[in-house]
Structures are given as structure tokens and as C-alpha cells.
Amino acid sequence: GGASGGMLGDLIRQFDQSGAGDAARSWVSPGENMPVTPSQIENAFGSDIIDQLAGQFGLDKQELLQGLSETLPDVVNQLTPDGRLP
């Protein structure tokens, strides 16, 4: 496990709770990554966290959400080369 497994596990759970769990699990498993929309990202993380991150990175909230929806599947994919959470 370790910290990354915990963090990734939490992330997958957040997507589960917001109704995008299938997509999040597709990033972990081998094969096609299902896309997510910016609004699914916002629902999973919560608006407060998204607002904070946008402020930290000096981005417009929509820019941040768009960027996350494009990069998050790849990031999770790379963190789970064995097709499962670390």
C-alpha cells in the first residue's frame, strides 16, 4: 500500500460516491481509459478543493477542471502500471 495507494484509493472512492466510479476504475485497470467531464471532476473533489487548487495554480476554475479531466486519467494510469492500486 503506502501513501500513494491510500491517496489513490480515496480518489477512486470519491469518484465512486459522485457516480463516476466506473471511469476512475478504468484508469487503474489496463485497457482504455474512460473519459471524465470537468463537472465529474468537480463533483468528485468538491468545489472547495477545486477553488483552492485553482487559486494555488493561478488558474481559472474551468481551466483547472478541463486540465484535470484531460490529465487525471493518464496520471492514475501511470501510477497503477500493474492494473491495480499500489
Side-chain angles (χ1 to χ4, degrees):
S4 61
M7 211 173 82
L8 267 180
D10 288 346
L11 185 67
I12 305 294
R13 268 193 298 281
Q14 284 173 286
F15 276 100
D16 257 337
Q17 286 163 359
S18 66
D22 290 347
R25 275 189 294 276
S26 78
W27 312 336
V28 173
S29 57
E32 285 289 307
N33 286 344
M34 285 171 63
V36 282
T37 64
S39 62
Q40 285 174 311
I41 299 265
E42 186 170 13
N43 290 341
F45 283 94
S47 300
D48 291 351
I49 289 177
I50 293 299
D51 286 339
Q52 273 178 355
L53 285 173
Q56 264 179 335
F57 291 112
L59 290 172
D60 179 72
K61 186 165 109 171
Q62 288 310 315
E63 281 180 309
L64 175 69
L65 288 170
Q66 185 63 46
L68 282 173
S69 70
E70 289 167 11
T71 56
L72 199 60
D74 286 341
V75 170
V76 174
N77 217 357
Q78 286 167 11
L79 291 173
T80 56
D82 303 328
R84 56 180 197 276
L85 294 170

Coordinates of all heavy atoms in Angstrom, one line a residue:
G1 N 0.8 -1.2 0.0 CA 0.0 0.0 0.0 C 0.8 1.3 0.0 O 1.2 1.8 -1.1
G2 N 1.1 1.8 1.2 CA 1.8 3.1 1.2 C 0.9 4.2 0.9 O -0.2 4.1 0.7
A3 N 1.5 5.4 1.0 CA 0.7 6.6 0.9 C 0.0 6.8 -0.4 O -1.2 7.2 -0.4 CB 1.6 7.9 1.1
S4 N 0.7 6.4 -1.5 CA 0.0 6.6 -2.8 C -1.2 5.7 -3.0 O -2.2 6.2 -3.5 CB 1.0 6.4 -3.9 OG 1.5 5.1 -3.9
G5 N -1.1 4.5 -2.5 CA -2.3 3.6 -2.5 C -3.4 4.2 -1.7 O -4.6 4.2 -2.2
G6 N -3.2 4.8 -0.6 CA -4.2 5.4 0.2 C -4.8 6.6 -0.5 O -6.0 6.7 -0.5
M7 N -4.0 7.4 -1.0 CA -4.5 8.6 -1.7 C -5.3 8.2 -3.0 O -6.4 8.8 -3.2 CB -3.3 9.5 -2.1 CG -3.7 11.0 -2.1 SD -2.2 12.0 -2.3 CE -2.0 11.9 -4.1
L8 N -4.7 7.3 -3.7 CA -5.4 6.9 -4.9 C -6.7 6.2 -4.6 O -7.8 6.4 -5.2 CB -4.6 5.9 -5.7 CG -3.7 6.5 -6.9 CD1 -2.9 5.4 -7.5 CD2 -4.6 7.2 -7.9
G9 N -6.7 5.3 -3.5 CA -7.9 4.7 -3.1 C -9.0 5.6 -2.7 O -10.1 5.5 -3.0
D10 N -8.6 6.7 -2.0 CA -9.5 7.7 -1.6 C -10.1 8.4 -2.8 O -11.3 8.7 -2.9 CB -8.8 8.8 -0.7 CG -8.5 8.3 0.7 OD1 -9.0 7.2 1.1 OD2 -7.7 8.9 1.4
L11 N -9.2 8.7 -3.8 CA -9.7 9.3 -5.0 C -10.7 8.5 -5.7 O -11.8 9.0 -6.1 CB -8.5 9.6 -5.9 CG -8.7 10.4 -7.2 CD1 -9.1 11.8 -6.9 CD2 -7.5 10.3 -8.1
I12 N -10.4 7.2 -5.9 CA -11.4 6.3 -6.5 C -12.7 6.3 -5.8 O -13.8 6.3 -6.4 CB -10.8 4.9 -6.6 CG1 -9.4 4.8 -7.3 CG2 -11.8 4.0 -7.4 CD1 -9.4 5.2 -8.8
R13 N -12.6 6.3 -4.4 CA -13.9 6.3 -3.6 C -14.6 7.6 -3.9 O -15.9 7.6 -3.9 CB -13.5 6.2 -2.1 CG -13.5 4.7 -1.7 CD -13.5 4.6 -0.2 NE -12.3 5.2 0.4 CZ -11.2 4.6 0.5 NH1 -11.0 3.4 0.0 NH2 -10.1 5.2 1.0
Q14 N -13.9 8.7 -4.0 CA -14.6 10.0 -4.2 C -15.3 10.0 -5.6 O -16.5 10.5 -5.7 CB -13.6 11.1 -4.2 CG -13.2 11.5 -2.8 CD -12.1 12.6 -2.8 OE1 -11.0 12.3 -3.1 NE2 -12.5 13.8 -2.4
F15 N -14.7 9.4 -6.6 CA -15.4 9.3 -7.9 C -16.5 8.3 -7.8 O -17.6 8.5 -8.4 CB -14.4 8.8 -8.9 CG -13.6 10.0 -9.5 CD1 -12.3 10.2 -9.1 CD2 -14.1 10.8 -10.5 CE1 -11.6 11.3 -9.6 CE2 -13.4 11.9 -11.0 CZ -12.1 12.1 -10.6
D16 N -16.4 7.2 -7.0 CA -17.5 6.3 -6.8 C -18.7 7.0 -6.2 O -19.8 6.9 -6.7 CB -17.1 5.2 -5.7 CG -16.7 3.9 -6.4 OD1 -17.2 3.7 -7.5 OD2 -16.0 3.1 -5.8
Q17 N -18.4 7.8 -5.2 CA -19.5 8.5 -4.5 C -20.2 9.5 -5.4 O -21.4 9.8 -5.2 CB -19.0 9.1 -3.2 CG -18.7 8.1 -2.1 CD -17.9 8.6 -1.0 OE1 -17.5 9.8 -1.0 NE2 -17.6 7.8 0.0
S18 N -19.5 10.1 -6.3 CA -20.0 11.1 -7.2 C -20.6 10.5 -8.5 O -21.1 11.2 -9.3 CB -19.0 12.2 -7.5 OG -18.0 11.6 -8.3
G19 N -20.6 9.2 -8.6 CA -21.2 8.5 -9.7 C -20.3 8.2 -10.9 O -20.7 7.8 -11.9
A20 N -19.0 8.5 -10.8 CA -18.0 8.3 -11.9 C -17.0 7.2 -11.5 O -15.9 7.2 -12.1 CB -17.3 9.6 -12.2
G21 N -17.4 6.3 -10.7 CA -16.5 5.2 -10.2 C -16.0 4.3 -11.4 O -14.9 3.9 -11.4
D22 N -16.9 4.1 -12.3 CA -16.5 3.2 -13.4 C -15.4 3.8 -14.2 O -14.4 3.1 -14.6 CB -17.7 3.0 -14.4 CG -18.8 2.1 -13.8 OD1 -18.5 1.5 -12.7 OD2 -19.9 2.1 -14.3
A23 N -15.5 5.1 -14.5 CA -14.4 5.8 -15.2 C -13.1 5.7 -14.4 O -12.1 5.3 -15.0 CB -14.8 7.2 -15.4
A24 N -13.2 6.0 -13.1 CA -12.0 6.0 -12.3 C -11.3 4.6 -12.3 O -10.1 4.5 -12.4 CB -12.3 6.5 -10.9
R25 N -12.1 3.6 -12.2 CA -11.6 2.3 -12.1 C -10.9 1.9 -13.5 O -10.0 1.1 -13.5 CB -12.6 1.2 -11.7 CG -12.7 1.1 -10.2 CD -13.6 0.0 -9.8 NE -15.0 0.2 -10.1 CZ -15.8 0.9 -9.4 NH1 -15.4 1.5 -8.3 NH2 -17.0 1.1 -9.8
S26 N -11.5 2.5 -14.6 CA -10.9 2.2 -15.9 C -9.5 2.7 -16.0 O -8.7 2.2 -16.8 CB -11.8 2.7 -17.0 OG -11.6 4.1 -17.2
W27 N -9.2 3.8 -15.3 CA -7.8 4.3 -15.3 C -6.8 3.4 -14.6 O -5.7 3.4 -15.0 CB -7.8 5.7 -14.7 CG -8.8 6.7 -15.1 CD1 -9.6 6.6 -16.3 CD2 -9.3 7.8 -14.4 NE1 -10.5 7.6 -16.3 CE2 -10.4 8.4 -15.2 CE3 -9.0 8.3 -13.2 CZ2 -11.1 9.5 -14.7 CZ3 -9.7 9.5 -12.8 CH2 -10.7 10.0 -13.5
V28 N -7.3 2.7 -13.6 CA -6.5 1.8 -12.8 C -6.2 0.6 -13.6 O -5.1 0.1 -13.7 CB -7.1 1.5 -11.5 CG1 -6.3 0.4 -10.7 CG2 -7.2 2.8 -10.6
S29 N -7.2 0.0 -14.2 CA -7.1 -1.3 -14.9 C -6.5 -1.0 -16.3 O -6.6 0.1 -16.8 CB -8.4 -2.0 -15.0 OG -9.3 -1.1 -15.7
P30 N -5.8 -2.1 -16.8 CA -5.3 -1.9 -18.2 C -6.4 -1.7 -19.2 O -7.5 -2.0 -18.9 CB -4.6 -3.3 -18.4 CG -4.6 -4.0 -17.1 CD -5.7 -3.4 -16.3
G31 N -6.0 -1.2 -20.4 CA -7.0 -1.0 -21.4 C -7.4 0.5 -21.5 O -6.8 1.3 -20.9
E32 N -8.5 0.7 -22.2 CA -8.9 2.1 -22.4 C -9.2 2.8 -21.1 O -9.8 2.3 -20.2 CB -10.2 2.0 -23.3 CG -10.0 1.7 -24.7 CD -9.3 2.8 -25.5 OE1 -9.8 3.9 -25.5 OE2 -8.3 2.5 -26.1
N33 N -8.9 4.1 -21.1 CA -9.3 5.0 -20.0 C -10.6 5.7 -20.4 O -10.6 6.3 -21.5 CB -8.2 6.1 -19.8 CG -7.0 5.6 -19.1 OD1 -7.0 4.5 -18.6 ND2 -5.9 6.3 -19.2
M34 N -11.6 5.5 -19.6 CA -12.8 6.2 -19.9 C -12.6 7.7 -19.5 O -12.0 8.0 -18.5 CB -13.9 5.6 -19.0 CG -14.5 4.3 -19.4 SD -15.6 3.5 -18.2 CE -16.9 4.7 -18.2
P35 N -13.2 8.6 -20.4 CA -13.0 10.0 -20.1 C -14.0 10.5 -19.0 O -15.0 9.8 -18.7 CB -13.5 10.6 -21.5 CG -14.4 9.6 -22.1 CD -13.9 8.3 -21.6
V36 N -13.6 11.6 -18.4 CA -14.5 12.2 -17.4 C -14.6 13.6 -17.8 O -13.8 14.2 -18.5 CB -13.9 12.2 -16.0 CG1 -14.1 10.8 -15.3 CG2 -12.5 12.6 -15.9
T37 N -15.8 14.2 -17.4 CA -16.0 15.6 -17.8 C -15.5 16.5 -16.6 O -15.3 16.0 -15.5 CB -17.5 15.8 -17.9 OG1 -18.1 15.6 -16.6 CG2 -18.1 14.9 -19.0
P38 N -15.3 17.8 -16.9 CA -14.9 18.7 -15.9 C -15.9 18.7 -14.7 O -15.5 18.8 -13.5 CB -14.9 20.1 -16.6 CG -14.4 19.7 -18.0 CD -15.1 18.4 -18.3
S39 N -17.2 18.6 -15.0 CA -18.1 18.6 -13.9 C -18.0 17.3 -13.0 O -18.3 17.4 -11.8 CB -19.6 18.8 -14.4 OG -20.0 17.7 -15.2
Q40 N -17.7 16.2 -13.6 CA -17.5 15.0 -12.8 C -16.3 15.2 -11.9 O -16.3 14.7 -10.8 CB -17.3 13.8 -13.7 CG -18.6 13.3 -14.4 CD -18.3 12.2 -15.4 OE1 -17.5 12.3 -16.3 NE2 -19.1 11.1 -15.3
I41 N -15.2 15.8 -12.4 CA -14.1 16.1 -11.6 C -14.5 17.0 -10.4 O -14.1 16.7 -9.3 CB -13.0 16.8 -12.4 CG1 -12.5 15.9 -13.6 CG2 -11.8 17.2 -11.5 CD1 -11.3 15.1 -13.4
E42 N -15.2 18.0 -10.7 CA -15.6 18.9 -9.6 C -16.5 18.2 -8.6 O -16.3 18.4 -7.4 CB -16.4 20.1 -10.2 CG -16.7 21.2 -9.1 CD -17.3 22.5 -9.7 OE1 -17.6 22.5 -10.9 OE2 -17.3 23.4 -8.9
N43 N -17.4 17.4 -9.0 CA -18.2 16.6 -8.1 C -17.4 15.7 -7.2 O -17.7 15.5 -6.0 CB -19.3 15.8 -8.9 CG -20.3 16.6 -9.5 OD1 -20.5 17.8 -9.1 ND2 -21.0 16.1 -10.5
A44 N -16.4 15.1 -7.8 CA -15.6 14.1 -7.1 C -14.7 14.8 -6.0 O -14.6 14.3 -4.9 CB -14.7 13.3 -8.0
F45 N -14.1 15.9 -6.4 CA -13.2 16.6 -5.5 C -13.9 17.5 -4.5 O -13.4 17.8 -3.4 CB -12.1 17.4 -6.3 CG -11.0 16.6 -6.9 CD1 -11.1 16.2 -8.2 CD2 -9.9 16.3 -6.2 CE1 -10.1 15.4 -8.8 CE2 -8.9 15.5 -6.7 CZ -9.0 15.1 -8.0
G46 N -15.0 18.1 -5.0 CA -15.7 19.1 -4.2 C -15.3 20.5 -4.7 O -14.1 20.7 -4.9
S47 N -16.2 21.4 -4.7 CA -15.9 22.7 -5.2 C -14.9 23.4 -4.4 O -14.1 24.2 -4.9 CB -17.2 23.6 -5.2 OG -18.2 23.0 -6.0
D48 N -14.9 23.2 -3.1 CA -13.9 23.9 -2.2 C -12.5 23.6 -2.6 O -11.6 24.5 -2.7 CB -14.1 23.5 -0.7 CG -15.4 24.1 -0.2 OD1 -16.1 24.9 -0.9 OD2 -15.8 23.7 0.9
I49 N -12.2 22.3 -2.8 CA -10.9 21.9 -3.1 C -10.5 22.4 -4.5 O -9.4 22.9 -4.7 CB -10.7 20.3 -3.1 CG1 -10.8 19.9 -1.6 CG2 -9.5 19.9 -3.7 CD1 -10.8 18.4 -1.4
I50 N -11.4 22.4 -5.4 CA -11.1 22.9 -6.8 C -10.8 24.4 -6.7 O -9.9 24.8 -7.4 CB -12.3 22.6 -7.7 CG1 -12.5 21.1 -7.9 CG2 -12.2 23.3 -9.0 CD1 -11.3 20.4 -8.6
D51 N -11.6 25.1 -6.0 CA -11.4 26.6 -5.8 C -10.0 26.8 -5.3 O -9.3 27.7 -5.7 CB -12.4 27.2 -4.9 CG -13.8 27.3 -5.6 OD1 -13.8 27.3 -6.9 OD2 -14.8 27.4 -4.9
Q52 N -9.6 26.0 -4.3 CA -8.3 26.2 -3.6 C -7.2 25.9 -4.6 O -6.2 26.7 -4.7 CB -8.1 25.2 -2.5 CG -8.7 25.7 -1.1 CD -8.5 24.6 -0.1 OE1 -8.1 23.5 -0.3 NE2 -8.8 25.0 1.2
L53 N -7.3 24.8 -5.4 CA -6.3 24.4 -6.3 C -6.2 25.5 -7.4 O -5.1 25.9 -7.8 CB -6.6 23.1 -7.0 CG -6.4 21.8 -6.1 CD1 -6.9 20.6 -6.8 CD2 -4.9 21.7 -5.8
A54 N -7.3 26.0 -7.9 CA -7.3 27.0 -8.9 C -6.6 28.2 -8.5 O -5.8 28.8 -9.2 CB -8.7 27.3 -9.3
G55 N -6.8 28.6 -7.2 CA -6.1 29.7 -6.6 C -4.6 29.5 -6.5 O -3.8 30.4 -6.9
Q56 N -4.3 28.3 -6.1 CA -2.9 28.0 -5.9 C -2.1 28.0 -7.3 O -1.0 28.5 -7.3 CB -2.7 26.6 -5.4 CG -2.5 26.5 -3.9 CD -2.4 25.1 -3.4 OE1 -2.9 24.2 -4.0 NE2 -1.8 25.0 -2.2
F57 N -2.8 27.5 -8.3 CA -2.1 27.5 -9.6 C -2.3 28.7 -10.4 O -1.8 28.9 -11.5 CB -2.6 26.2 -10.4 CG -2.1 24.9 -9.8 CD1 -3.0 24.1 -9.2 CD2 -0.7 24.6 -9.8 CE1 -2.5 22.9 -8.7 CE2 -0.3 23.4 -9.2 CZ -1.2 22.6 -8.7
G58 N -3.1 29.6 -9.9 CA -3.4 30.9 -10.6 C -4.2 30.6 -11.9 O -4.0 31.3 -12.9
L59 N -5.1 29.6 -11.8 CA -5.9 29.2 -13.0 C -7.4 29.6 -12.8 O -7.9 29.6 -11.6 CB -5.8 27.7 -13.3 CG -4.5 27.2 -13.7 CD1 -4.6 25.6 -13.7 CD2 -4.2 27.6 -15.1
D60 N -8.0 29.8 -13.9 CA -9.5 29.9 -13.9 C -10.0 28.5 -13.5 O -9.4 27.5 -13.8 CB -9.9 30.2 -15.3 CG -11.4 30.3 -15.4 OD1 -12.0 31.3 -14.9 OD2 -12.0 29.4 -16.0
K61 N -11.1 28.4 -12.7 CA -11.6 27.2 -12.2 C -11.9 26.2 -13.4 O -11.6 25.0 -13.4 CB -12.9 27.4 -11.4 CG -13.4 26.1 -10.8 CD -14.4 26.4 -9.7 CE -15.8 26.1 -10.1 NZ -16.8 26.1 -9.0
Q62 N -12.5 26.8 -14.5 CA -12.9 25.9 -15.6 C -11.6 25.4 -16.3 O -11.6 24.3 -16.8 CB -13.7 26.7 -16.6 CG -15.2 26.9 -16.1 CD -15.8 25.7 -15.6 OE1 -15.8 24.6 -16.3 NE2 -16.5 25.8 -14.5
E63 N -10.6 26.2 -16.4 CA -9.3 25.8 -17.0 C -8.7 24.6 -16.2 O -8.2 23.7 -16.7 CB -8.3 26.9 -16.9 CG -8.4 28.0 -18.0 CD -7.3 29.0 -17.8 OE1 -7.2 29.6 -16.7 OE2 -6.6 29.3 -18.8
L64 N -8.8 24.8 -14.8 CA -8.2 23.7 -14.0 C -9.0 22.4 -14.2 O -8.4 21.4 -14.3 CB -8.3 24.2 -12.5 CG -7.9 23.1 -11.5 CD1 -6.4 22.8 -11.6 CD2 -8.3 23.5 -10.1
L65 N -10.3 22.5 -14.2 CA -11.2 21.3 -14.3 C -10.9 20.7 -15.7 O -10.9 19.5 -15.8 CB -12.6 21.7 -14.2 CG -13.1 22.0 -12.7 CD1 -14.5 22.6 -12.7 CD2 -13.0 20.8 -11.8
Q66 N -10.8 21.5 -16.7 CA -10.5 21.0 -18.1 C -9.2 20.2 -18.1 O -9.1 19.1 -18.6 CB -10.5 22.1 -19.1 CG -10.4 21.7 -20.5 CD -11.6 20.8 -21.0 OE1 -12.7 21.1 -20.7 NE2 -11.3 19.7 -21.6
G67 N -8.2 20.9 -17.5 CA -6.9 20.3 -17.4 C -6.9 18.9 -16.7 O -6.3 17.9 -17.1
L68 N -7.6 18.9 -15.5 CA -7.6 17.7 -14.7 C -8.4 16.6 -15.5 O -8.0 15.4 -15.5 CB -8.4 18.0 -13.4 CG -7.5 18.7 -12.3 CD1 -8.4 19.0 -11.1 CD2 -6.4 17.8 -11.9
S69 N -9.4 17.0 -16.2 CA -10.2 15.9 -16.9 C -9.4 15.3 -18.0 O -9.6 14.2 -18.4 CB -11.5 16.5 -17.4 OG -11.3 17.4 -18.5
E70 N -8.4 16.1 -18.5 CA -7.5 15.5 -19.6 C -6.3 14.8 -19.0 O -5.9 13.8 -19.6 CB -7.0 16.7 -20.5 CG -8.1 17.3 -21.3 CD -7.7 18.6 -22.0 OE1 -6.5 19.0 -21.9 OE2 -8.6 19.3 -22.5
T71 N -5.8 15.2 -17.9 CA -4.6 14.6 -17.4 C -4.8 13.5 -16.3 O -4.0 12.6 -16.2 CB -3.6 15.7 -16.8 OG1 -4.3 16.4 -15.8 CG2 -3.2 16.7 -17.9
L72 N -5.8 13.6 -15.5 CA -6.0 12.7 -14.4 C -6.0 11.3 -14.8 O -5.4 10.4 -14.2 CB -7.3 13.1 -13.6 CG -7.3 12.6 -12.2 CD1 -6.1 13.0 -11.3 CD2 -8.6 13.0 -11.5
P73 N -6.8 10.9 -15.9 CA -6.8 9.5 -16.3 C -5.4 9.0 -16.6 O -5.0 7.9 -16.2 CB -7.6 9.5 -17.6 CG -8.6 10.7 -17.4 CD -7.8 11.7 -16.7
D74 N -4.5 9.8 -17.3 CA -3.2 9.4 -17.6 C -2.3 9.2 -16.3 O -1.5 8.3 -16.2 CB -2.5 10.4 -18.5 CG -3.0 10.3 -19.9 OD1 -3.6 9.3 -20.3 OD2 -2.8 11.3 -20.7
V75 N -2.5 10.2 -15.4 CA -1.7 10.2 -14.2 C -2.0 8.9 -13.4 O -1.1 8.2 -13.0 CB -2.0 11.4 -13.3 CG1 -1.4 11.3 -11.9 CG2 -1.5 12.7 -14.0
V76 N -3.3 8.6 -13.2 CA -3.7 7.4 -12.5 C -3.2 6.1 -13.2 O -2.7 5.2 -12.6 CB -5.3 7.3 -12.3 CG1 -5.7 6.0 -11.6 CG2 -5.7 8.5 -11.4
N77 N -3.3 6.2 -14.5 CA -2.8 5.0 -15.3 C -1.4 4.8 -15.0 O -0.9 3.6 -14.8 CB -3.0 5.4 -16.8 CG -3.4 4.2 -17.6 OD1 -3.5 3.0 -17.1 ND2 -3.7 4.4 -18.9
Q78 N -0.6 5.8 -15.0 CA 0.9 5.7 -14.8 C 1.2 5.3 -13.4 O 2.2 4.6 -13.2 CB 1.6 7.0 -15.2 CG 1.7 7.2 -16.7 CD 2.1 8.6 -17.0 OE1 2.5 9.4 -16.2 NE2 1.9 9.0 -18.3
L79 N 0.4 5.6 -12.4 CA 0.6 5.3 -11.0 C 0.2 3.8 -10.8 O 0.5 3.3 -9.7 CB -0.2 6.2 -10.1 CG 0.3 7.7 -10.0 CD1 -0.6 8.5 -9.2 CD2 1.7 7.7 -9.4
T80 N -0.5 3.2 -11.7 CA -1.0 1.9 -11.5 C -0.6 1.0 -12.6 O -1.5 0.4 -13.3 CB -2.6 1.9 -11.3 OG1 -3.1 2.5 -12.5 CG2 -3.0 2.6 -10.1
P81 N 0.7 0.8 -12.9 CA 1.1 0.0 -14.0 C 0.7 -1.4 -14.0 O 0.6 -2.1 -15.0 CB 2.7 0.1 -14.0 CG 3.0 0.5 -12.6 CD 1.8 1.3 -12.1
D82 N 0.5 -2.0 -12.8 CA 0.0 -3.4 -12.7 C -1.5 -3.6 -12.8 O -2.0 -4.7 -12.6 CB 0.5 -4.0 -11.3 CG 2.0 -3.8 -11.1 OD1 2.7 -3.9 -12.1 OD2 2.4 -3.7 -10.0
G83 N -2.2 -2.5 -13.1 CA -3.6 -2.6 -13.2 C -4.3 -2.7 -11.9 O -5.4 -3.2 -11.8
R84 N -3.7 -2.3 -10.8 CA -4.3 -2.2 -9.5 C -3.7 -1.1 -8.7 O -2.6 -0.7 -9.0 CB -4.3 -3.6 -8.8 CG -2.9 -4.1 -8.6 CD -2.9 -5.4 -7.9 NE -1.6 -5.7 -7.4 CZ -0.6 -6.3 -8.1 NH1 -0.7 -6.6 -9.3 NH2 0.6 -6.5 -7.5
L85 N -4.4 -0.8 -7.6 CA -3.9 0.3 -6.7 C -2.6 -0.2 -6.0 O -2.5 -1.4 -5.7 CB -4.9 0.7 -5.7 CG -6.1 1.3 -6.2 CD1 -7.2 1.5 -5.1 CD2 -5.8 2.7 -6.8
P86 N -1.6 0.6 -5.9 CA -0.3 0.2 -5.3 C -0.5 -0.3 -3.8 O -1.5 0.1 -3.2 CB 0.5 1.5 -5.2 CG -0.2 2.5 -5.9 CD -1.6 2.0 -6.3

